[in-house]
Amino acid sequence: NAGVTQTPKFQVLKTGQSMTLQCAQDMNHNSMYWYRQDPGMGLRLIYYSASEGTTDKGEVPNGYNVSRLNKREFSLRLESAAPSQTSVYFCASRRTGTGLYNSPLHFGNGTRLTVT
Amino acid sequence: GENVEQHPSTLSVQEGDSAVIKCTYSDSASNYFPWYKQELGKGPQLIIDIRSNVGEKKDQRIAVTLNKTAKHFSLHITETQPEDSAVYFCAAPTDSWGKLQFGAGTQVVVTP
């Protein structure tokens, strides 16, 4: 059981380049999330998908787009990368539904992105 | 929305001693408080959580306490071991769907 798988693990981009971060989960979870982690700022929510076919902005959505491709996959796209987007990106998923308000988040191992 | 503050940002303890991390939250309606542990190079993983209808919860060497009146909750690690070295995050829900607001994290270093 792989859980949440993120690719790539590392990426270096030049300012203005674009890329897509991939995420897939095999736990049949309804909800998926993208966070970024920066020193001293904890985990900040970029976008989330409460269920297949829906996406919503989180705390820091500017400069990003997402696609919930199907129930398993949720991708994050940077259309024109900026140095401020240098960060570690985590995808997460969780079961949601009636009685599952407090179900735990399951995180992938992250993508470390550097924008020069 | 919810605001979560976490202290300290770093904590160095001798092996065998106890470690305490404290978090405060702003929304008195919040009713669920998880703690996540992040080991180097990995994603965060839930280690313990507490709901607002209880004041304390224990799981072996870790415990979480909640003071709803003061709006703060704490993680306690007893008899620390080198494998407890990690970054710990507290969190609180920001909406009725269970989205979480995370604290800034505490780097715990356990020295032999």
Side-chain angles (χ1 to χ4, degrees), chain B residues 1-4 24-30 71:
Chain B
E2 180 67 273
N3 183 44
V4 178
T24 61
Y25 61 97
S26 59
D27 187 353
S28 57
S30 291
K71 291 191 282 187

Side-chain angles (χ1 to χ4, degrees), chain A residues 22-38:
Chain A
Q22 307 287 353
C23 174
Q25 52 90 11
D26 62 3
M27 296 172 283
N28 201 35
H29 287 171
N30 293 331
S31 298
M32 298 186 73
Y33 306 79
W34 277 104
Y35 288 89
R36 61 177 288 173
Q37 182 178 16
D38 303 290

